Amino acid sequence: MWHKGGPTRTDAPSAVERAAAESGFVLDAAQRVAAERLGVLAAELGPRGRRRRDSVRGVYLWGPPGRGKSWITDTWYRALPPGTAYRVHFHDFFRRLQDAVFAHRDEAGAIDTAMSELVGRAAVVCFDEFHVHDPGDAMLVTRLLRELFERRTTLVATSNYPPDGLLPNPLHHHVFEPAIRLVEDRLDVVEVAGPRDYRTLRQGPPPRSGFRAGALITAAAAGWPGAYGLTAPRPGSAAPLLVNRRTLTARAIQDGTLWIDYPQLCETTTSTADYVVLAERFDTWVVDAVPAWQDCSADGRQRLGSVVDIAYDRDIRLFLAGPDNPGRPPAGAAVPPDHFRTASRLAQLQATG
């Protein structure tokens, strides 16, 4: 529900509505509500996007995957005056925050210093894909939110979960309740839950680069990998890959392409932070030897979901290759907590073989 009071939306069309019209589509009802609320926020920030002495109430957009939450927020963010806002995927920000806090661990106020380094004087911080599943992260996320609000920073977040659905494990949910109360007290919660997952709609041929240029490859795929402009690794092309003080073994590294086997990437003690580093170095990933779903460990399936998340957010061309429907569970199989988001993203990739 919306916070009572404050300025109302102006008669001028919002940046989001204009962008939709220019792209030839019409916002659905849920998207329009979200766009209007962000239009109110832009008006509250003022024409120069400056933070007022009193805090400006933020916005929390949540709903199923593919409903346009990230697109709406990104379009709104790009329309703000330069330097007003800091936009980042929450995975990425949290990794940077942990690194910065560790770097200043011997100093008083390490988290404050880390925050200053990351967001500077931005009046607005936009978190995409805000979610918490690890109880070990919950305390630091709570500290992060308190620090943002003490700075009178306005927070805009997108999520697949309502605030009280964050850290859903009932054994640990109470740990995050202080943060949930902060979100509900300081942000207007807007559900974006239209009837259609727009990611599943094919819009012309796939592009030549970026996430949608990737594919799910089975062993029977004709012309793989040459049909995608790739060259299969030659014997002896394996190479060590140093990532966050750990060494992985890549099958090959070829001009911005990482070719690596699933067991090495997902069945070792890798983490989301490692995938963020790889995304900064390679714009095409081939994850080969992906076994059938039932032959992956529970941790491996969760890590594969994180691989898809990072590749999607960073617009990495991703190929998952394996003999049996790589990355997709059979009907009725157990899936990780966020697999509904992973499935929505995988639907954008070509399926071959």
Side-chain angles (χ1 to χ4, degrees), residues 7-352:
T8 58
R9 179 176 175 270
T10 63
D11 291 334
S14 70
V16 177
E17 290 172 315
R18 287 197 301 271
E22 289 167 0
S23 299
F25 66 90
V26 178
L27 300 179
D28 65 33
Q31 292 171 338
R32 186 171 296 108
V33 169
E36 288 179 350
R37 179 59 187 90
L38 289 173
V40 170
L41 175 53
E44 290 177 319
L45 291 169
R48 297 185 181 181
R50 292 179 177 174
R51 182 167 48 202
R52 298 178 176 181
R53 297 181 67 179
D54 56 328
S55 59
V56 175
R57 191 171 178 85
V59 181
Y60 184 98
L61 305 180
W62 77 275
R67 268 57 179 186
K69 301 180 298 295
S70 295
W71 180 85
I72 289 169
T73 303
D74 288 348
T75 302
W76 176 81
Y77 159 78
R78 289 193 297 268
L80 294 174
T84 299
Y86 174 82
R87 183 269 181 199
V88 65
H89 192 282
F90 190 67
H91 275 318
D92 196 357
F93 181 86
F94 199 65
R95 189 268 299 184
R96 294 181 188 180
L97 178 65
Q98 289 173 313
D99 288 348
V101 170
F102 182 79
H104 296 285
R105 63 192 180 280
D106 296 327
E107 305 172 17
I111 191 169
D112 184 65
T113 302
M115 287 285 297
S116 295
E117 289 180 354
L118 291 174
V119 305
R121 298 176 61 83
V124 181
V125 171
C126 300
F127 286 144
D128 194 27
E129 300 290 359
F130 184 84
H131 65 270
V132 180
H133 291 300
D134 186 343
D137 293 340
M139 299 292 286
L140 184 54
V141 175
T142 303
R143 288 279 309 279
L144 162 66
L145 293 175
R146 286 177 176 153
E147 186 68 31
L148 283 170
F149 295 139
E150 286 175 5
R151 290 164 168 259
R152 298 194 300 276
T153 303
T154 297
L155 178 61
V156 173
T158 69
S159 180
N160 294 131
Y161 298 89
D164 62 2
L166 296 166
L167 194 59
N169 188 323
L171 294 177
H172 307 296
H173 182 74
H174 67 280
V175 176
F176 204 59
E177 286 177 345
I180 292 170
R181 287 194 294 271
L182 282 173
V183 169
E184 292 176 335
D185 288 346
R186 302 298 187 96
L187 281 68
D188 282 343
V189 178
V190 179
E191 185 177 7
V192 186
R196 178 174 295 172
D197 180 347
Y198 290 94
R199 292 175 186 157
T200 63
L201 301 180
R202 295 289 182 186
Q203 298 178 354
R208 295 178 179 272
S209 62
F211 185 81
R212 287 185 60 243
L216 305 177
I217 306 293
T218 66
W224 167 255
Y228 293 90
L230 299 172
T231 303
R234 297 178 179 177
S237 62
L241 191 61
L242 183 63
V243 183
N244 287 334
R245 299 181 291 278
R246 80 175 77 235
T247 300
L248 304 177
T249 300
R251 285 187 59 193
I253 296 173
Q254 309 166 336
D255 298 327
T257 296
L258 169 65
W259 200 302
I260 190 167
D261 285 345
Y262 164 88
Q264 185 69 197
L265 188 64
C266 299
E267 295 289 356
T268 58
T269 55
T270 51
S271 68
T272 299
D274 299 326
Y275 308 147
V276 170
V277 171
L278 293 175
E280 293 169 349
R281 297 173 59 180
F282 303 101
D283 57 20
T284 297
W285 297 8
V286 181
V287 183
D288 207 348
V290 180
W293 185 264
Q294 60 269 22
D295 295 328
C296 301
S297 72
D299 287 342
R301 295 168 192 157
Q302 184 73 61
R303 292 189 185 103
L304 184 60
S306 295
V307 166
V308 175
D309 279 349
I310 297 300
Y312 178 84
D313 184 67
R314 295 301 189 90
D315 208 21
I316 301 294
R317 186 170 64 147
L318 176 67
F319 297 90
L320 301 182
D324 184 14
N325 236 356
R328 291 181 167 176
V335 297
D338 286 327
H339 186 73
F340 60 90
R341 183 173 66 238
T342 303
S344 173
R345 291 173 172 179
L346 290 179
Q348 295 185 72
L349 302 182
Q350 303 171 71
T352 64

